Amino acid sequence: MYYAQEVIDEVLSRNDIVDVISSYLGNLKRSGSNYTCCCPFHSEKTPSFSVSRQKQIFHCFGCHEGGNVISFIMKYEHYSFTEALKILADRVGYVLPEVELSTEEKRDLDRKSRLREINTAAAAYFHFLLTKTERGKTGYTYFREKRRFTDETIAKFGLGYADVYADDLYKYLKNKGFPDELMRDAGLVEFSERYGPQDKFWNRVMVPILDLQGKCIAFGGRVLGDGKPKYMNTKETELFDKSRNLFALNIARRSKRRGMILCEGYMDVITQHQEGFDNAIASLGTAFTEGQASLIRRYTKEVYLAYDSDTAGKTAAKKAIRLLRSMGMSQRVIDLSPCKDPDEFLAAYGAEAYEERIRDAVPGRLFEIREMSVGYRLDDPEEKASFIRQAAVSIAGIENVAERSSYVDTVSREYMLDKNVLQQEITRIGMMGLQDRPAPESEDEAFPEAQNPRQTERAAIRPQPEQETQELLLTWMVNRPEYFGKLMEILEPEDFNGDAGEVLEALLKQYREDGVLRPALIIGRYNEEEQHSRIATMLSSEFPFEADQAAEEKALTELVRRVKTEREDAAIRRGEGSSIEHARKKKDIQKIKIHF
C-alpha cells in the first residue's frame, strides 16, 4: 500500500521519537544531548541504545539497529511499514487518506492464493505416497533408516516421496482440476513439445518448504540413487524467493531456545529438531543472503553457525559471519569436529554433547582470527608482523570499547603477541577507517607465507569498497555538522553514489534550504526495515576512536581523497575521458588537505 511522501513526513513531524519510545520503554535517561537505555532488541547490561531528539532517530551501538520513529514501531511490534504508519497516525489523531487496492493488486493476491493451493495439494500427495502406499516404501526406508527420522518427525515436517514415473504428479494435479499454466508457474511441472508434461521432481524424497504462516510455497527434493543433481529446490516463483526464505523458520521463530542455529541443509535442520533443537534453520540451496539475515533479525539477534567443518563450510561460515555482523547480529560458530555436520555429530555423540558444543561456541570474530592464524608462521618476524596487522584489522571493527579491549587481551595472550603493539596497530587502522576487512577466501590469501610479506600487508589494509568509504565519510559529516559546509566546498554530489549518494543529495537539499540537517526525514523515504537500519547507521554512528582535531583532519583528508579517487577510477573503468586528464585529476586530489 502506497502513501505519498508528504503524508509520511507529516506523521513523522507529529510524533516526537523520544515521547514515543519512552511510552514503550519508559526508562530513557538523559545523556548529554541524547537519551539512552538498554537496547530492547538485544540483551545487554550497559546501555548502548541512544535516541536523538535533535535528529529524531535512534541507534544501538551494540547491535546496530536504528532508524526513525516508524522504524522503531516496525522492529518493536514486528509490524509492516504501513501498519507502523497507521499506529503513529492514530496516536496523534491524524487521519490517513483512504487507499484502495488496484485491480492489478487484487489479481496478484488471487494468483498467489492459487499457487499456495496447488503447492499444498502437491505436498499432501507426496506425503500420502510416502506414508500410505507401497510405491513410497523406498523413500520411507530412506527417511527411517538412513536419516533416523521417526514417524512423528515425518508427519511434523510433512515429508513425502515423488514417484519414479515422470508424469505422476501431473496426472494427479490434472485430475484435481489444476490448469497446466498454474502447474508450470508453481515450478512443479515442465512442458515441452517433444516430451509433453514432465514432473520437475521424480524419484526423490520430498521436503515441503513453508512460509512464516506455515503455507507450502516450494519443495526441496533429494534424489534416490545416482541421479543428478543430488539436491534440487523449486525454481523461484511469485511465492518463492530463495534469498528471502529460510527452511523451518516458521517453527524456529516460536522456539524457547536461545538464538537460532543456522545450517547449510534441511536434513541437518530436521535432525536437530528431532533431537530437541527446534531453533535450527537453513538457507535454501544458495549462499546466505542479507534478506535471510533480515528475516532472522526479526526474532533474534543471536545466531549460531553449524556449517560443515570442511574447507567449503568454513569459507561459507566466514561469509555468513561478516554479513550477520554488518547487520548488528551476534555470531558464534559451533565446533563440530571430528564430524562433518550436525547430523553426523548427533548420530555419533548425541544431544547432550551437542548442547555442550553450543555452549562452547566461539564468537565469529575469534573464529576468523583463528582461521587466519593458520596461514602464518608466527616464529617468522615478518609473518608475525603481518598477522598482527591482519588481526588488528578485524579487532578495530569492534565499536564497543570494552569488547575491543577484551579481544586485545585474548588474542595477544593466545598468540603471544605484544599487547601494546597490537593496540597501537588497532588505533592506527581505526583512525584510517580500514577496519574489519573481509577474511581471506582464496588459497593464496589464506596462506601468505607463499607471498611477499609486504604484499600481504597491503592486502590486509587494502582500501574499502567504494560504497563503504562514502558511507564512512557521510557518518563524519552528519555527526560533525560544523564540518558539513566546509566539506561540501571540496566534495561534489557526483563523488557519491548508491544509498550514500541519495542520502547526501537529501542532506544537501536540507542544508541549502535552512542550514539544518534532519536525518529522520531522510529515513522516512524508505519502506524496508533493513534500509532503515542501514541509513540510520550511516547517519548516527559515532566515530569509535578518540582523536584530537589534527588526527580528525588527517583522517578526513584521507577519506575525501579516497572518495574522489574512487570516482576517477570508476570513470576510467567506464572509458570516460582521457588517461592524461584522469592522471592530472588524481594528482590534484592528492594535494587536498582538510583544515578547520
Side-chain angles (χ1 to χ4, degrees), residues 511-546:
Y511 185 81
R512 285 171 174 168
E513 287 177 353
D514 53 14
V516 178
L517 305 181
R518 296 186 176 88
L521 296 185
I522 295 172
I523 296 171
R525 295 166 176 258
Y526 301 89
N527 289 353
E528 294 296 326
E529 189 174 330
E530 52 264 35
Q531 288 177 307
H532 283 212
S533 290
R534 178 175 171 79
I535 304 302
T537 298
M538 197 187 309
L539 297 177
S540 63
S541 293
E542 297 290 344
F543 196 64
F545 296 88
E546 293 186 6

Side-chain angles (χ1 to χ4, degrees), residues 8 10-12 14-17 19-21 23-24 68-74 79 81-96:
I8 297 170
E10 184 66 25
V11 173
L12 284 170
R14 295 189 183 203
N15 283 274
D16 179 77
I17 192 168
D19 293 342
V20 173
I21 294 181
S23 70
Y24 279 89
N68 59 15
V69 68
I70 299 176
S71 316
F72 179 82
I73 301 297
M74 289 171 67
Y79 284 164
F81 181 88
T82 301
E83 289 170 333
L85 190 69
K86 288 179 178 178
I87 288 290
L88 291 169
D90 290 344
R91 179 179 179 273
V92 295
Y94 179 73
V95 180
L96 292 172

